[in-house]
């Protein structure tokens, strides 16, 4: 079908009468606009919030409860003690441009993701792959360099989705996947529209179109919901208005969990922050309750390490960095640090902007001055995440089970700890659940006692929707607005 016709169909759906649109179209709010639409070439969570499970799919996928379930592979077999995996591809799957999906697309997608010149933000997911081979058009064998019991989970990340080699040149602006929705249009600065994929291999979506509108201002988000301009705001940025929305029978409020560890990240390249006593002093200077109350209006769970509290392997280590200004000042004195000024980079999300002002005041109380720079998302990604040109920043890491980032060479923290790296090596090779659990707990304790960063709170998932809408994720086991099961009820 010609692209212009698809775009016209999407626009027609949006301009239908309200009674008609209420049956099969939805408009959702998002705080941040994605910088592009290639989940395999960018770090912004907003990309996955639009495309994951909607446009793109992987061999496996994350379910709403956080479990790993079949995706484009109907099943898989671990071989050689977890050193190889045989993935069985679903028959009859096609990309949105009509080309068939088969083993050669898996080879292309994974070889592209792990290539030396790959811009994939999570290249470490693929470092353990030794070779990818087609057994036949519907079967792929992935041989690893070492056993990896968590490999099917890695293949469920948005960074590991399958892409169409025939349309790869335009993936950033006109993505082509295998999912239940096709790309419709992108009016930059305003909205992205998706339309239903009539040729989808699986259960057809109830929605015929979905529009993501970008509304970064919390007050504007509240106004748009109250005016009926939006049907849902899955990650709602104005928690201060929830009581009013909860009291309004037109809406329902969904409060769940995310994988988002909200941290005050520290750049270990800064000589002062390379000193563990200074990092510990910063951690003790922060009052988690004050930050959660001020930035999130009480929504959020305190954390003492980089791990989600709802995970069964989580260890509560908040006592190691409890709020204690006297301890903080004493540690700074022991380190011989006086008149310290640090640059604090704040990305756009309200938790960062609001939280940043509170953090700056708390650090000032122990003698650390900050120079705050409010950054737009593209600037933060380029300057902070890519070039590590910062001292402190506040950010939620929403990738699932991503504690392994503390072992990445050249990651923007510039953190390095051989003991942690050794635990991660053991974890990659472990297949026994009890052994993996013990290693994960050990890893959490290492970074907590090393004060690798200041761990503040787990970002909640606060969603608001019209009462009739069904199927939105209550929890966010990964950054996604999976619309495959979303529908309007009675």
């Amino acid at each position: 079908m010609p692209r212009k016709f698809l775009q016209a169909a999407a626009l027609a759906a949006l301009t239908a009468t309200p009674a008609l649109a209420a049956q099969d179209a939805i408009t959702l709010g998002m705080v941040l606009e994605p910088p592009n639409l290639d989940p395999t070439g960018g770090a912004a969570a907003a990309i996955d919030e639009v495309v994951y499970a909607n446009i793109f799919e992987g061999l496996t996928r994350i379910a709403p409860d956080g479990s790993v379930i079949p995706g484009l592979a109907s099943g898989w077999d671990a071989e050689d003690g977890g050193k190889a995996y045989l993935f069985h591809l679903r028959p009859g799957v096609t990309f949105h441009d009509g080309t068939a999906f088969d083993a050669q697309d898996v080879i292309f997608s994974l070889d592209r993701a792990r290539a030396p010149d790959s811009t994939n933000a999570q290249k470490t997911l693929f470092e353990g792959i030794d070779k990818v081979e087609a057994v036949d058009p519907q079967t792929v064998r992935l041989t690893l360099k070492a056993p990896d019991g968590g490999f099917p989970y890695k293949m469920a990340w948005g960074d590991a989705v399958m892409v169409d080699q025939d349309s790869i040149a335009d993936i950033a602006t006109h993505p082509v996947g295998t999912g239940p929705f096709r790309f419709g249009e992108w009016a930059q600065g305003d909205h992205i529209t998706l339309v239903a994929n009539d040729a989808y291999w699986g259960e057809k979506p109830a929605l015929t179109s979905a529009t993501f509108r970008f509304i970064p201002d919390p007050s504007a988000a509240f106004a748009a919901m109250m005016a009926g301009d939006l049907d849902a705001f899955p990650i709602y940025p104005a928690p201060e208005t929830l009581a009013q929305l909860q009291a309004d029978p037109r809406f329902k409020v969904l409060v769940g969990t995310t994988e988002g560890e909200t941290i005050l990240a520290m750049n270990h390249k800064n000589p002062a922050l390379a000193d563990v006593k200074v990092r510990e002093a910063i951690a003790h200077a922060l009052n988690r309750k004050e930050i959660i109350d001020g930035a999130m209006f009480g929504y959020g769970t305190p954390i003492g390490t980089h791990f989600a509290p709802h995970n069964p392997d989580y260890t509560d280590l908040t006592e190691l960095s409890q709020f204690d200004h006297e301890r903080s000042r004493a540690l700074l004195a022991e380190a011989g640090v006086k008149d310290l000024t640090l640059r604090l980079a704040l990305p756009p999300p309200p938790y960062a902007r609001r939280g940043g002002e509170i953090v700056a005041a708390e650090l000032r109380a122990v003698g650390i001055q900050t120079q705050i720079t409010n950054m737009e998302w593209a600037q933060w990604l380029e300057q902070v995440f890519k070039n590590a040109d910062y001292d402190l920043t506040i950010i939620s890491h929403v990738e699932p089970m991503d504690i392994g980032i503390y072992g990445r060479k050249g990651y923007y923290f510039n953190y390095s700890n051989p003991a942690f790296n050794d635990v991660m090596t053991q974890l990659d090779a472990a297949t026994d659940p009890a052994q993996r659990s013990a290693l994960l707990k050990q890893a959490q304790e290492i970074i907590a006692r090393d004060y690798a960063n200041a761990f503040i709170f787990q970002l909640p998932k606060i969603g608001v929707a019209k009462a009739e809408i069904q199927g939105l994720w209550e929890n966010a086991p990964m950054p996604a607005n999976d619309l495959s099961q979303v529908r309007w009820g009675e």
Side-chain angles (χ1 to χ4, degrees):
M1 184 180 292
R3 185 181 304 176
K4 288 183 178 179
F5 181 81
L6 284 174
Q7 293 175 346
L11 289 173
L14 291 176
T15 56
T17 64
L20 188 62
Q23 299 302 311
D24 58 10
I26 192 171
T27 301
L28 306 100
M30 282 180 58
V31 172
L32 299 176
E33 180 174 13
N36 62 68
L37 295 176
D38 177 10
T40 66
I47 301 173
D48 279 335
E49 288 174 15
V50 173
V51 305
Y52 186 85
N54 295 326
I55 293 178
F56 289 110
E57 301 172 301
L59 295 174
T60 60
R61 59 166 293 177
I62 302 294
D65 64 358
S67 62
V68 180
I69 61 175
L72 290 174
S74 59
W76 56 89
D77 302 309
E79 301 178 332
D80 194 16
K83 194 175 179 181
Y85 285 85
L86 198 67
F87 286 94
H88 307 283
L89 307 183
R90 296 184 188 274
V93 177
T94 59
F95 285 101
H96 298 152
D97 60 5
T99 58
F101 166 77
D102 60 22
Q104 294 304 315
D105 296 296
V106 178
I107 295 172
F108 172 80
S109 298
L110 296 181
D111 283 352
R112 173 176 173 268
R114 64 196 185 102
D117 61 348
S118 168
T119 59
N120 195 297
Q122 306 292 344
K123 286 182 72 172
T124 54
L125 294 174
F126 315 100
E127 286 180 350
I129 298 175
D130 183 38
K131 56 184 175 180
V132 187
E133 302 171 288
V135 177
D136 58 52
Q138 299 303 125
T139 312
V140 180
R141 176 176 283 108
L142 275 72
T143 303
L144 309 181
K145 299 171 185 175
D148 185 352
F151 188 72
Y153 189 87
K154 292 177 180 178
M155 292 296 97
W157 283 47
D159 311 80
V161 296
M162 299 293 104
V163 295
D164 181 14
Q165 49 191 314
D166 293 336
S167 61
I168 200 67
D170 297 322
I171 187 173
T173 56
H174 193 92
V176 173
T178 60
F181 292 90
R182 301 170 179 261
F183 174 76
E185 69 163 5
W186 185 358
Q188 294 200 355
D190 189 74
H191 70 270
I192 290 172
T193 297
L194 309 182
V195 294
N197 173 20
D198 293 335
Y200 184 53
W201 60 266
E203 180 186 353
K204 303 298 188 293
L207 301 173
T208 59
S209 69
T211 296
F212 296 89
R213 283 187 55 200
F214 312 122
I215 306 178
D217 179 69
S219 297
F222 173 66
M225 287 300 305
M226 294 299 289
D229 296 334
L230 298 176
D231 299 314
F233 213 123
I235 304 178
Y236 186 62
E240 67 274 20
T241 65
L242 286 180
Q244 188 172 344
L245 290 164
Q246 286 172 322
D248 191 324
R250 294 179 298 163
F251 305 110
K252 57 184 174 183
V253 174
L254 305 172
V255 180
T257 61
T258 78
E259 292 293 314
E261 291 83 15
T262 306
I263 62 175
L264 178 67
M266 308 186 212
N267 189 349
H268 291 233
K269 274 192 174 180
N270 182 306
L273 298 174
D275 188 334
V276 66
K277 290 184 178 179
V278 175
R279 299 197 302 271
E280 183 179 353
I282 289 173
H284 284 300
L286 304 186
N287 185 328
R288 292 187 180 95
K289 184 178 186 306
E290 190 175 75
I291 297 170
I292 293 170
D293 288 346
M296 297 298 299
F297 296 85
Y299 291 91
T301 304
I303 56 172
T305 189
H306 198 108
F307 215 73
H310 56 263
N311 191 298
D313 295 320
Y314 174 73
T315 298
D316 186 355
L317 298 167
T318 51
E319 284 297 311
L320 292 176
S321 51
Q322 61 184 327
F323 174 55
D324 187 342
H325 272 183
E326 289 188 11
R327 175 66 176 154
S328 182
R329 294 189 191 97
L331 284 162
L332 290 172
E334 289 176 24
V337 170
K338 296 180 181 179
D339 302 321
L340 179 60
T341 299
L342 298 170
R343 298 172 298 157
L344 175 57
L346 300 177
Y351 69 79
R353 297 285 173 87
R354 292 169 176 160
E357 297 293 338
I358 299 168
V359 166
E362 292 176 341
L363 292 178
R364 188 162 55 247
V366 299
I368 299 175
Q369 302 299 318
T370 56
Q371 296 173 342
I372 292 180
T373 300
N374 289 330
M375 296 182 172
E376 291 308 310
W377 191 235
Q379 181 188 5
W380 188 92
L381 286 170
E382 180 70 19
Q383 182 174 327
V384 177
F385 186 78
K386 181 178 178 181
N387 296 325
D389 181 9
Y390 77 106
D391 297 323
L392 305 172
T393 189
I394 296 177
I395 191 68
S396 286
H397 278 259
V398 294
E399 296 84 2
M401 189 102 76
D402 61 348
I403 193 170
I405 59 180
Y406 289 83
R408 290 188 190 174
K409 186 177 180 181
Y411 200 64
Y412 79 104
F413 309 148
N414 289 299
Y415 175 71
S416 179
N417 186 323
F420 180 87
N421 296 345
D422 180 60
V423 170
M424 286 294 101
T425 299
Q426 294 179 58
L427 180 66
D428 285 342
T431 56
D432 177 65
Q435 184 185 8
R436 290 182 62 82
S437 177
L439 289 167
L440 284 169
K441 291 176 180 178
Q442 189 177 345
Q444 293 173 60
E445 188 153 348
I446 289 173
I447 60 172
R449 292 189 179 279
D450 206 15
Y451 300 92
N453 285 311
F455 307 103
I456 309 175
F457 65 89
Q458 196 72 15
L459 189 71
K461 186 180 187 299
I462 303 171
V464 179
K466 289 181 179 177
E468 303 89 347
I469 293 176
Q470 302 172 2
L472 289 171
W473 281 12
E474 180 172 326
N475 300 314
M478 72 164 300
N481 288 307
D482 179 356
L483 301 176
S484 61
Q485 298 299 315
V486 174
R487 64 191 68 239
W488 289 84
E490 294 296 330

